[in-house]
């Protein structure tokens, strides 16, 4: 037998010894009542939650590539609570797996979701939503109820909400639509864009711009690199502060707001469309009362202009 033929036979044997990728589907249905809870804890996988008007929870798990038996999936029901677990077996070649949880719950339900690797999506839902992933994006529809979302790396989007919203990402942008309630948003790197907020806003990014379309309450916004733009349309009941280390701050105010202004920049200028009474003024700072004074509005840019405009 020639050396080339021997090599070909050896290669064919080695190829035949490689286990072929296969697919596995696990599905189950549970009867529940509105207002129950779904809990998912998985070592890997994307999680997608949709809603229906029915009184059932449907769970489908698709496992593709690699050896599907590397992930042990269990489901159980305890009263009105559904618990889904996905745990690795001892075989550690799990990185070749692709796992997706597709789940349907009643439109009034609470969800608690955790995955160590994968994106999470929750469509329109009324209930408490608490989700976390070690790596992946978070996407939410309209959530009526408190929302707490955390990812170690990925963007976050929320179409809208009614309730307290807390969102955290270690790297990625945050985009939020209209919210009735308070906002608490933090990213270690990325922009923050917010629609209309009826409550107070706390927004912090280590690198990126912040844009707030309309705020009815107080604002606490800061960025280490980027501009800040905000519109305050109603009288705040607490102090507001907007600060950037590199960028322009532009604040639009309703004409009848009562505020105590303190604005300054190290590089650039400070300009106001409003008459500021008792003003202490220079090119780079402006302090005094607007419309008789009220809660403090503190604006500070280390390298950029500060603009206070009427809208």
């Amino acid at each position: 037998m020639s050396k080339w033929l021997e090599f070909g036979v050896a290669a064919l044997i080695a190829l035949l010894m490689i286990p072929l990728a296969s697919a596995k589907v696990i599905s189950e249905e549970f009867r529940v009542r509105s207002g129950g809870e779904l809990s998912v804890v998985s070592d890997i996988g994307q999680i997608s939650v949709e809603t229906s008007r029915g009184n059932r929870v449907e769970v489908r798990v698709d496992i593709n590539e690699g050896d599907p038996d590397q992930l042990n999936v269990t489901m159980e029901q305890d009263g009105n609570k559904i618990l889904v677990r996905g745990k690795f077996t001892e075989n550690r070649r799990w990185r070749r797996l692709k796992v997706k949880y597709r789940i349907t719950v009643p439109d009034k339900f609470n969800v608690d979701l955790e995955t160590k690797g994968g994106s999470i999506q929750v469509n329109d839902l009324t209930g408490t939503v608490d989700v976390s992933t070690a790596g992946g994006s978070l996407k939410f529809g309209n959530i009526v109820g408190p929302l707490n979302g955390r990812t170690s790396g990925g963007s976050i989007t929320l179409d809208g909400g009614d309730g307290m919203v807390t969102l955290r990402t270690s790297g990625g942008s945050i985009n939020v639509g209209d919210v009735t309630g308070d906002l608490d948003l933090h990213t270690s790197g990325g922009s923050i864009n917010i629609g209309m907020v009826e409550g107070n806003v706390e927004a912090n990014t280590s690198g990126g711009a912040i844009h707030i379309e309309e705020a009815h309450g107080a604002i606490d916004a800061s960025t280490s690199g980027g501009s800040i733009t905000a519109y305050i349309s109603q009288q705040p009941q607490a102090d507001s502060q907007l600060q950037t280390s590199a960028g322009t701050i532009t604040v639009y105010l309703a004409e009848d707001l009562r505020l105590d202004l303190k604005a300054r920049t190290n590089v650039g200028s400070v300009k106001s469309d409003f008459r500021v009474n008792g003003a202490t003024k220079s090119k780079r700072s402006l302090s005094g009362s607007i419309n008789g004074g009220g809660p403090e509005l503190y604006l500070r840019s280390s390298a950029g202009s500060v603009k206070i405009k009427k809208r």
Side-chain angles (χ1 to χ4, degrees):
M1 183 181 294
S2 69
K3 290 184 178 180
W4 286 109
L5 182 58
E6 291 178 359
F7 176 80
V9 172
L12 178 60
I13 293 173
L15 182 62
L16 292 174
M17 292 179 65
I18 299 175
L20 296 176
S22 58
K24 184 177 182 180
V25 177
I26 305 169
S27 62
E28 199 162 342
E29 181 176 319
F30 304 90
R31 299 294 297 180
V32 295
R33 302 183 308 277
S34 180
E37 180 181 349
L38 167 72
S39 177
V40 179
V41 181
S42 184
D43 288 339
I44 192 173
Q46 302 177 27
I47 303 175
S48 176
V49 176
E50 298 183 351
T51 61
S52 71
R53 295 183 179 273
N55 290 320
R56 66 186 185 276
V57 170
E58 298 175 354
V59 182
R60 175 185 169 118
V61 186
D62 292 278
I63 307 175
N64 298 294
E65 299 188 12
D67 180 4
D69 292 332
Q70 292 171 357
L71 188 70
N72 182 35
V73 178
T74 61
M75 307 182 198
E76 61 184 75
Q77 181 171 8
D78 182 8
N80 210 29
K81 180 176 181 178
I82 306 301
L83 175 59
V84 181
R85 293 187 181 94
K87 293 184 67 67
F88 289 129
T89 60
E90 293 182 0
N91 191 331
R92 302 307 296 172
R93 288 181 292 177
W94 53 267
R95 287 185 177 87
R96 302 172 64 179
L97 292 179
K98 287 187 177 180
V99 181
K100 185 164 186 178
Y101 293 82
R102 293 181 173 92
I103 305 173
T104 301
V105 301
D107 53 10
K108 294 182 179 178
F109 220 68
N110 306 301
V111 296
D112 187 345
L113 313 173
E114 178 183 349
T115 175
K116 293 183 173 63
S119 61
I120 298 177
Q121 178 174 340
V122 180
N123 291 340
D124 299 356
L125 181 68
T126 297
T128 298
V129 177
D130 192 331
V131 307
S132 67
T133 175
S137 62
L138 303 179
K139 186 175 182 180
F140 306 97
N142 285 284
I143 306 299
V144 180
L147 167 61
N148 186 9
R150 305 168 302 283
T151 174
S152 296
S155 62
I156 304 177
T157 61
L158 168 64
D159 291 344
D162 184 356
M164 177 68 193
V165 175
T166 304
L167 301 174
R168 300 279 190 277
T169 174
S170 297
S173 61
I174 300 178
N175 295 283
V176 175
D178 296 347
V179 172
T180 303
D182 294 339
L183 275 182
D184 185 357
L185 312 177
H186 290 261
T187 173
S188 297
S191 61
I192 297 177
N193 294 285
I194 303 170
M196 187 277 292
V197 185
E198 292 192 12
N200 299 321
V201 176
E202 181 174 340
N204 174 268
T205 173
S206 297
I210 298 176
H211 179 89
I212 304 171
E213 185 64 29
E214 181 178 355
H216 292 182
I219 298 175
D220 184 351
S222 63
T223 173
S224 298
S227 61
I228 300 178
T229 304
Y231 170 41
I232 304 176
S233 62
Q234 295 189 15
Q235 178 64 43
Q237 302 303 311
D239 297 343
S240 295
Q241 57 179 358
L242 291 77
Q243 302 182 72
T244 176
S245 297
T248 296
I249 297 177
T250 305
V251 178
Y252 296 89
L253 304 176
E255 292 194 29
D256 60 346
L257 297 188
R258 303 178 303 279
L259 299 166
D260 286 329
L261 176 67
K262 290 184 179 179
R264 61 177 298 186
T265 177
N266 294 338
V267 178
S269 61
V270 177
K271 295 182 179 180
S272 173
D273 290 347
F274 289 83
R275 179 177 179 179
V276 181
N277 296 319
T280 301
K281 182 179 181 181
S282 68
K283 179 182 178 180
R284 295 179 179 171
S285 66
L286 177 62
S287 298
S289 63
I290 296 176
N291 294 324
E296 183 177 273
L297 176 61
Y298 179 79
L299 310 174
R300 170 69 185 274
S301 174
S302 298
S305 296
V306 177
K307 305 173 183 179
I308 302 99
K309 293 181 170 291
K310 294 181 180 180
R311 180 171 170 180

